[in-house]
Amino acid sequence: MARPSLSRRRVLAGIGGLAAGAAGTTGAAGCAAPQAVGAGKTRLRYWHLFGGGDGINMQVMLDAFRAQHPRIAVEAATFQWGAPYYTKLGMAGAGGRAPEVAVLHLARLAGFAPGRLLDPFDLDLLARHGVRPADFPEGIWRRGGAGGEQYAIPLDTHPMVLFYNTELCAKAGLLGPGTTLRPIEGAEQFTAALRAVKQVTGQPALVTETLGSDCIGPWRLFSTLYSQLGGAVLSPDAKSIALDDSKALTALEYMRMIVEEGLAVRRVDYVGAVGVFNNAKTGFYLNGEWEISSFLTTGLPFSMTRVPNLFGRPTAQADCHAFVLPHQDGRGGKTNEAAHAFVAWMLKNTVEWAKGGHVPAYLPTLKDPEYLALTPQSAYRSVVEDVALDEPAWFAGSASVMWIELGAVFSGVLTGSRTPRNALTEAKARLRTLLETPNPFGAAV
């Protein structure tokens, strides 16, 4: 297949991301109307992109914060997921007229000009509100830093997980006590589990997104399997390609095998994949944990677990929502104090946030009895230590141009239009183009 040209318009679209899906929100256009700030109150403007199921959870948290902090006037604005949000946030930071606090995907931090578009957090101030670096997984916390400063405080991680139909898996003999899937270790055991479910249903046992406009599911599946092999896509400084041919081909050949053997649905878009699993057509579904809301409302007999360790490491592709401080001229004083108090409070109250499927990054929450009682949300919590984030490149991260470009390439492996070797060659070509392309987001602001 010929490689399409990587125009500036296409790159800018990738910077903003997709309209929905990759971070578990559908996005709502526009923003909330500003609230009047009463005398003696501190104004706190908060921008985010949670317009779907997790937007409901965020609203519950905001209402609780306001009730407990009557002297802080929170003005929350919800922007359309993707380009409208990131473009507006970047422009606001560049002009020094930004909100006091905002949400950013952690893997996109490198392309958001820390120190220019973002201000660093005051870690001493956060500590006075009871939040410290040791309260987070080391790897996730480290990704929020740049130049010796901390520019992002992780709120959660949203990894690829394995949904499973408990009734079909029970018939296939795959469940242990209750509705818990028996441990699966290695590609052979996972393949055997898929075959067992197919014997029950007579249909493919697994569904995941394989095609569609701006399809990123194939990239996320490849990233999960490739990371389990210990592979890296880019060098640590994100300036050169680090794809390991042998490891990449192992992952791609496994992806091809499961569709060719009829163990996975070959051609299905994002919405279609949700419907296939929701209609009990397959025993397994691979996607981000945010789709939990799609199945809780329909009464489907399902549960969730970590993606099995197929190739030696228990990692899963993921990104993280994080709090950032968009650049303000003269940031400080009561508004900055309020921003730090807000972030700390939100982290300490992430049980509500976890109801939408995301795994809290604040480690004390993972031990909270109220969180542990959430089923099946708490079942895959240990993945927080094993997430595989993109290397820190401007073109990487949730719904980025890299995801779109490589998603299109690896889609061909699942649908049958590309061989694994052809896909690997094409992936390298597109990565080289991205590496040679100046950061258009920076140029735009």
Side-chain angles (χ1 to χ4, degrees):
M1 295 176 65
R3 179 177 48 157
S5 63
L6 194 61
S7 67
R8 178 177 174 83
R9 177 175 296 179
R10 183 172 176 82
V11 172
L12 284 170
I15 285 290
L18 304 177
T25 61
T26 54
C31 61
Q35 302 173 9
V37 179
K41 290 190 175 184
T42 300
R43 183 189 190 195
L44 179 71
R45 293 164 298 173
Y46 168 49
W47 289 7
H48 66 85
L49 66 176
F50 303 124
D54 49 11
I56 298 173
N57 302 115
M58 178 56 65
Q59 188 59 53
V60 171
M61 295 170 72
L62 287 171
D63 290 345
F65 178 85
R66 290 185 177 110
Q68 295 181 29
H69 300 80
R71 307 309 299 173
I72 298 177
V74 178
E75 299 174 6
T78 308
F79 294 94
Q80 184 177 346
W81 202 95
Y85 177 75
Y86 280 117
T87 301
K88 187 173 182 65
L89 186 61
M91 293 294 290
R97 299 182 299 276
E100 281 68 45
V101 65
V103 167
L104 187 81
H105 286 99
L106 188 58
R108 297 180 69 135
L109 181 66
F112 223 76
R116 185 167 67 88
L117 300 183
L118 302 175
D119 293 331
F121 278 87
D122 183 333
L123 296 187
D124 291 335
L125 187 52
L126 270 182
R128 289 203 292 273
H129 289 285
V131 173
R132 297 169 178 80
D135 294 328
F136 303 86
E138 182 181 356
I140 292 176
W141 177 263
R142 186 170 58 249
R143 283 298 298 268
E149 302 277 10
Q150 195 70 21
Y151 287 94
I153 306 298
L155 169 63
D156 64 38
T157 184
H158 38 280
M160 177 169 270
V161 297
L162 183 68
F163 295 80
Y164 59 96
N165 184 302
T166 53
E167 289 185 357
L168 294 179
C169 287
K171 292 177 181 179
L174 298 176
L175 298 188
T179 59
T180 303
L181 189 69
R182 289 177 181 168
I184 296 174
E185 284 289 332
E188 290 186 4
Q189 285 191 19
F190 187 58
T191 303
L194 297 180
R195 290 171 179 156
V197 171
K198 185 179 180 181
Q199 284 187 327
V200 170
T201 64
Q203 303 179 81
L206 172 69
V207 67
T208 191
E209 178 190 27
T210 67
L211 53 79
S213 176
D214 288 340
C215 171
I216 61 172
W219 152 255
R220 297 177 62 238
L221 177 57
F222 169 80
S223 177
T224 293
L225 300 180
Y226 181 62
S227 71
Q228 291 188 353
L229 289 154
V233 174
L234 301 171
S235 60
D237 62 3
K239 293 183 178 180
S240 61
I241 298 172
L243 277 171
D244 182 295
D245 285 13
S246 176
K247 293 174 181 177
L249 288 172
T250 295
L252 292 169
E253 286 166 359
Y254 187 80
M255 291 165 60
R256 179 179 65 172
M257 181 277 291
I258 59 175
V259 291
E260 288 192 343
E261 192 176 319
L263 299 177
V265 178
R266 182 183 289 276
R267 299 183 63 84
V268 62
D269 64 12
Y270 188 97
V271 175
V274 174
V276 166
F277 186 71
N278 210 17
N279 290 321
K281 300 292 186 182
T282 63
F284 296 106
Y285 173 49
L286 280 169
N287 196 8
E289 31 66 30
W290 54 81
E291 282 301 341
I292 187 174
S293 59
S294 297
F295 311 127
L296 286 174
T297 56
T298 62
L300 181 76
F302 82 100
S303 191
M304 302 158 68
T305 189
R306 296 178 55 158
V307 176
N309 177 1
L310 273 63
F311 294 115
R313 300 172 75 242
T315 51
Q317 185 277 337
D319 204 341
C320 305
H321 295 117
F323 291 112
V324 294
L325 304 176
H327 174 62
Q328 291 183 336
D329 293 336
R331 174 180 284 277
K334 290 184 178 180
T335 56
N336 191 51
E337 164 77 29
H340 284 71
F342 174 80
V343 169
W345 187 94
M346 297 294 274
L347 293 169
K348 292 179 179 180
N349 289 272
T350 40
V351 170
E352 179 64 34
W353 188 241
K355 293 178 182 178
H358 302 320
V359 183
Y362 185 63
L363 293 177
T365 300
L366 302 186
K367 301 176 183 178
D368 188 319
E370 188 178 356
Y371 170 73
L372 295 174
L374 291 178
T375 302
Q377 292 94 329
S378 64
Y380 48 89
R381 63 188 181 280
S382 60
V383 76
V384 73
E385 298 283 358
D386 296 305
V387 294
L389 275 66
D390 299 347
E391 289 82 16
W394 69 262
F395 50 77
S398 279
S400 62
V401 65
M402 183 179 79
W403 287 26
I404 295 170
E405 289 289 314
L406 299 193
V409 173
F410 297 143
S411 170
V413 175
L414 294 168
T415 62
S417 63
R418 289 187 186 273
T419 66
R421 176 64 69 178
N422 172 273
L424 178 58
T425 300
E426 179 66 12
K428 288 182 176 180
R430 297 196 184 194
L431 285 171
R432 280 193 291 272
T433 299
L434 288 170
L435 287 167
E436 294 167 358
T437 304
N439 183 346
F441 193 98
V445 298

